[in-house]
């Protein structure tokens, strides 16, 4: 049976063709209608609990020396900002000097700390901004000759003034797999880096010259000792920490034997649907948050939403004996 993923809701138009035109960024920087998202040291400036879209009139006329401006997107219907708003990013330099101009109700926050409270439109901008900000922060010099490169194409390309080489934001593909075994149970892993009750899908990087499917089979064999007999691709998620693209699969095996590598993975456990819901509801097990592709894969297998103890409908489920 083929399960189709609906096309994602489109809330942004990145203006990919227009933004590489000469003078596009400069024109945008003169527009008083633009809104500005600000990143510093990998964190976004939040305002009143949401991603800050600052009116340029409220910001210093001249940003701190070394600030990089990037054109992010024009908002579309449903984003939250008025449709057609041009959103730009300012990536402040690591040493940005005195930040006394930052409004009193604003603070820099990391994505993981605020993700659960962001709107879909804010998530899309945050992730795009994070990815391109990370790239500028770590790719300042030419990999061929070591010369300081300059930001062009509205912040989407860097060029070496010495040898003319052009450099673009990098993305590292990674695979993440929900393992489904005999009796339709799911195999989840507990990593040494996590609390002992946290379980998730298994993930790893695609190596140079390797397909996503081969990487999935290899990673699953290495980390949990399971041989996958078939795979189906489900969905992907940009995860710019620092620059991953997670390719999500369901992987199928007919064996219920698994061997944690004891290097990264501490333990593995098979769950039936009833067991997983009961363990999550009781707090005996925790699974990844709802914005993650790991959760999406687990719920794809589960066939719906897995209820957590602090959800509004948890009490009803507990009363019905689901945690027994
Ligand atoms: Zn160079």
């Amino acid at each position: 049976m083929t399960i189709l993923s609906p096309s994602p809701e489109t809330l942004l138009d990145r203006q990919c063709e227009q933004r590489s035109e000469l003078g596009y960024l400069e024109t945008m920087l003169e527009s008083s209608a633009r809104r500005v998202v600000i990143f510093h040291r990998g964190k976004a400036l939040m305002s009143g609990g949401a991603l800050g879209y600052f009116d340029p009139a409220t910001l210093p006329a001249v940003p701190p020396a070394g600030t990089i401006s990037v054109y992010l997107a024009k908002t579309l219907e449903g984003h939250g900002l008025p449709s057609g708003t041009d959103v730009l990013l300012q990536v402040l330099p690591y040493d940005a000097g005195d930040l006394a101009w930052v409004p009193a109700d604003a603070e820099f926050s990391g994505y993981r700390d605020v993700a659960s409270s962001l709107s879909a439109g804010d998530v899309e901008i945050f992730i795009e901004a994070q990815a391109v900000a990370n790239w500028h922060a770590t790719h300042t010099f030419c990999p061929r000759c070591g010369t300081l490169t300059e930001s062009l194409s509205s912040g989407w390309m860097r060029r070496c003034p010495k040898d003319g080489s052009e450099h673009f934001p990098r993305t590292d593909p990674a695979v993440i797999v929900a393992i489904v075994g005999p009796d339709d149970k799911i195999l989840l892993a507990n990593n040494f880096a996590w609390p002992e009750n946290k379980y998730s899908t298994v993930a790893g990087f695609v190596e140079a010259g390797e397909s996503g499917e081969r990487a999935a089979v290899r990673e699953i064999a290495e980390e949990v000792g399971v041989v996958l007999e078939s795979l189906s691709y489900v969905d992907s998620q940009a995860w710019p920490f620092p620059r991953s693209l997670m390719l999500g699969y369901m992987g199928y095996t007919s064996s219920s034997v698994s061997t944690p590598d004891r290097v990264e993975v501490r333990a593995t456990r098979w769950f039936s649907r009833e067991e997983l819901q009961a363990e999550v509801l009781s707090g005996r097990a925790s699974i990844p948050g709802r914005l993650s592709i790991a959760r999406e894969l687990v719920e794809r297998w589960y066939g719906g939403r897995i209820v957590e103890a602090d959800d509004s409908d948890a009490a009803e489920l507990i009363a019905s004996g689901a945690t027994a």
Side-chain angles (χ1 to χ4, degrees), residues 173-177 204-207 209-219 231 233 247 249:
V175 290
I176 181 163
V177 185
F205 285 108
V206 177
E207 294 221 315
E210 186 179 42
S211 72
E213 289 70 23
R214 287 212 165 88
V217 169
R218 176 182 55 75
E219 282 287 342
L231 283 165
Y233 173 74
L247 307 171
Y249 294 88

Side-chain angles (χ1 to χ4, degrees), residues 106-176:
E107 60 172 350
F108 286 98
S109 300
Y111 181 75
R112 289 177 183 83
D113 297 327
V114 297
S116 62
S117 63
L118 296 176
S119 69
D122 286 358
V123 166
E124 213 173 320
I125 287 276
F126 202 128
I127 291 291
E128 182 188 358
Q130 181 92 52
V132 75
N134 288 355
W135 174 65
H136 279 293
T138 55
H139 290 71
T140 30
F141 296 96
C142 175
R144 290 190 189 170
C145 74
T147 302
L148 181 67
T149 52
E150 53 196 5
S151 177
L152 292 165
S153 289
S154 301
W156 288 90
M157 192 246 280
R158 294 186 71 99
R159 188 161 63 199
C160 174
K162 197 169 170 188
D163 58 31
S165 59
E166 297 178 343
H167 308 278
F168 298 88
R170 307 258 51 98
T171 297
D172 294 341
V175 290
I176 181 163

Side-chain angles (χ1 to χ4, degrees), residues 278-311:
E279 296 290 272
V280 168
L281 202 53
S282 69
R284 289 189 297 265
S286 80
I287 55 175
R290 292 205 167 98
L291 281 175
S292 65
I293 189 166
R295 180 63 166 260
E296 182 187 339
L297 292 171
V298 172
E299 293 193 337
R300 182 69 71 106
W301 159 81
Y302 185 77
R305 176 173 154 273
I306 297 174
V307 180
E308 296 179 35
D310 51 4
D311 288 339

